[in-house]
Amino acid sequence: MSAVSRVAIVGSGVAGTAAAILLAEGGVEVDVFEKKPDLSALGSGITLQGNALRVFDRLGVWDEVERAGYSFDQTGLRAPGPDAPFIAQIPDARTGGPEYPAVAGMYRPDLARILADRATELGARIHYGATVTSFTQDDDGVDVTVSDGSTGRYDLLIGADGLNSDIRKQLGIEVEPERTGMGIWRAFVPRPKDVTQTDLYYGGPVYIAGYTPTSDEMMYAFLVEPAQDRHLSSPEEGVEVMKGLSQAYGGPWNEIRESLDDASRVNYTWFTKHVVPDAWNRGRAVIIGEAAHSCPPTIAQGAAQAAEDALVLSELLLERDEVDQSLWDEFHARRLPRATEVVEASVQLGQWQIDHVQDADVPGLMRRVAMLVSQPA
């Protein structure tokens, strides 16, 4: 029993490939259209919370993710200054359950490769350098036109094409990501041997200076500053900016600073927020992942929420025998409140830092989020 037999997915990020894996595993014919020409993924590293790892296990990739990444169960808080003393060591909640670590750091392109390989292994077709330029739909299906001029008819169209989703625009959904006032520098660097977890430095010239190990050899480092127009900065300029901003931070940052160079994949992005507050579908076309919601990475839930969207949608499509309003009602009842609360908590944590709120209940907020995402999606 399945409500669909043929599905088109736009975007090969976490949401798109997770949906492709689950649907293909369930016997659905899946075409994924990715506008990038290959499997390349922007960025250096990604932090995955336990609820993301739980979904990856369901996708059949957890063992490979665990081998490729670096797992840990606590986060350190350090003070700025040359000695960078630890203020606290905070145990992280195992939000995926006791069988998974609390957190795994990972090289983002490795995660993209693992998910794409699993999808193609199960029979999903990923078309690189292609995207859906237009579509029309009726009660029974969606007629899709692809950028190469080809056309196809599908039972469902899933827009998993990220922050600036073309599918969201084509559906007439006017919600767009908004900047939150923070921007983040990221770099991929060798891991100092004493870095075995995420450490966060609060205070000094930036809001947050931190790093997360991604393997035995490598890690990513980040600096969160007031959002600025950095789009014209060259990679070489980015290296120099990161070296300058990090001068106030000691401990492992001394070694990180020395290792920053042209090979560090330095990049800069703004923090954004948005949630489509009503239905994420219009008929037989639906958006998931960052097309439907985005949050600052302050509580590292972006990939987890995208994966959960894909899991819930795929489960409903595979267990139902038709795409009807009751399916969409259950999908939104399970996903919209959860995603909204995660976005609001992520934004609140960042706003406390912007406003320099000294008595902010950060532990309380983190406990609330952990309790929320510990429950099955």
Side-chain angles (χ1 to χ4, degrees):
M1 179 176 65
S2 174
V4 292
S5 60
R6 194 165 190 243
V7 170
I9 300 173
V10 184
S12 67
V14 170
T17 49
I21 289 167
L22 293 163
L23 292 172
E25 183 183 54
V28 176
E29 184 180 350
V30 178
D31 285 299
V32 179
F33 300 101
E34 170 53 58
K35 66 181 179 181
K36 292 182 298 186
D38 53 39
L39 192 57
S40 63
L42 174 67
S44 46
I46 186 170
T47 301
L48 302 166
Q49 298 286 351
N51 58 315
L53 307 182
R54 179 172 58 202
V55 178
F56 290 156
D57 199 4
R58 173 62 186 83
L59 300 178
V61 299
W62 163 233
D63 287 346
E64 194 170 357
V65 166
E66 185 177 30
R67 286 193 299 270
Y70 193 103
S71 300
F72 50 95
D73 286 302
Q74 66 180 11
T75 295
L77 300 183
R78 289 179 180 258
D83 297 327
F86 278 105
I87 301 170
Q89 294 278 5
I90 301 175
D92 290 314
R94 290 196 165 199
T95 56
E99 61 268 45
Y100 309 105
V103 185
M106 193 169 185
Y107 185 45
R108 188 179 291 266
D110 282 348
L111 178 61
R113 173 189 53 78
I114 288 170
L115 292 172
D117 286 351
R118 177 63 173 162
T120 54
E121 172 191 324
L122 291 168
R125 297 180 292 265
I126 303 179
H127 309 271
Y128 293 102
T131 192
V132 171
T133 56
S134 64
F135 61 90
T136 59
Q137 57 175 309
D138 53 40
D139 290 343
D140 299 317
V142 186
D143 294 303
V144 165
T145 300
V146 183
S147 53
D148 63 6
S150 63
T151 60
R153 184 167 177 80
Y154 297 88
D155 300 313
L156 186 73
L157 172 65
I158 299 174
D161 50 342
L163 278 178
N164 301 307
S165 169
D166 288 330
I167 300 302
R168 185 178 65 228
K169 295 180 178 69
Q170 292 183 54
L171 288 174
I173 297 173
E174 296 181 354
V175 175
E176 295 284 344
E178 303 173 18
R179 301 177 195 173
T180 69
M182 289 178 162
I184 184 168
W185 289 101
R186 293 183 177 95
F188 192 56
V189 295
R191 180 182 71 87
K193 294 304 180 186
D194 56 343
V195 172
T196 59
Q197 62 188 25
T198 291
D199 289 334
L200 303 173
Y201 300 60
Y202 290 100
V206 298
Y207 294 124
I208 310 169
Y211 40 76
T212 296
T214 57
S215 71
D216 287 339
E217 295 79 28
M218 303 297 290
M219 71 177 197
Y220 77 100
F222 50 90
L223 298 164
V224 180
E225 65 172 7
Q228 300 180 47
D229 187 355
R230 300 283 200 180
H231 75 281
L232 294 179
S233 299
S234 68
E236 295 78 13
E237 290 169 333
V239 167
E240 293 308 310
V241 171
M242 287 195 72
K243 285 184 176 182
L245 291 174
S246 66
Q247 290 292 332
Y249 306 101
W253 265 105
N254 294 325
E255 194 170 335
I256 294 167
R257 192 161 42 249
E258 291 300 315
S259 67
L260 286 167
D261 59 23
D262 293 346
S264 298
R265 297 175 63 93
V266 170
N267 65 88
Y268 186 82
T269 57
W270 288 314
F271 286 6
T272 67
K273 62 173 182 177
H274 82 287
V275 181
V276 176
D278 50 15
W280 297 352
N281 77 298
R282 301 293 185 270
R284 286 177 172 260
V286 62
I287 53 174
I288 62 173
E290 286 196 328
H293 50 81
S294 65
C295 58
T298 46
I299 56 174
Q301 275 291 311
Q305 294 306 302
E308 288 183 357
D309 287 351
L311 176 67
V312 172
L313 178 60
S314 299
E315 284 182 348
L316 292 172
L317 291 170
L318 293 172
E319 70 186 22
R320 303 293 188 92
D321 54 12
E322 62 179 323
V323 180
D324 58 12
Q325 191 57 46
S326 68
L327 183 150
W328 295 122
D329 289 345
E330 182 171 349
F331 175 66
H332 292 114
R334 290 173 63 181
R335 292 306 307 148
L336 183 54
R338 185 175 175 113
T340 299
E341 189 164 355
V342 166
V343 171
E344 290 175 350
S346 301
V347 172
Q348 184 176 40
L349 183 56
Q351 194 61 51
W352 281 338
Q353 293 162 352
I354 291 172
D355 295 340
H356 303 290
V357 177
Q358 299 299 316
D359 58 350
D361 185 17
V362 175
L365 181 144
M366 299 306 291
R367 284 194 296 271
R368 174 163 60 86
V369 172
M371 289 178 62
L372 172 71
V373 301
S374 294
Q375 301 302 313

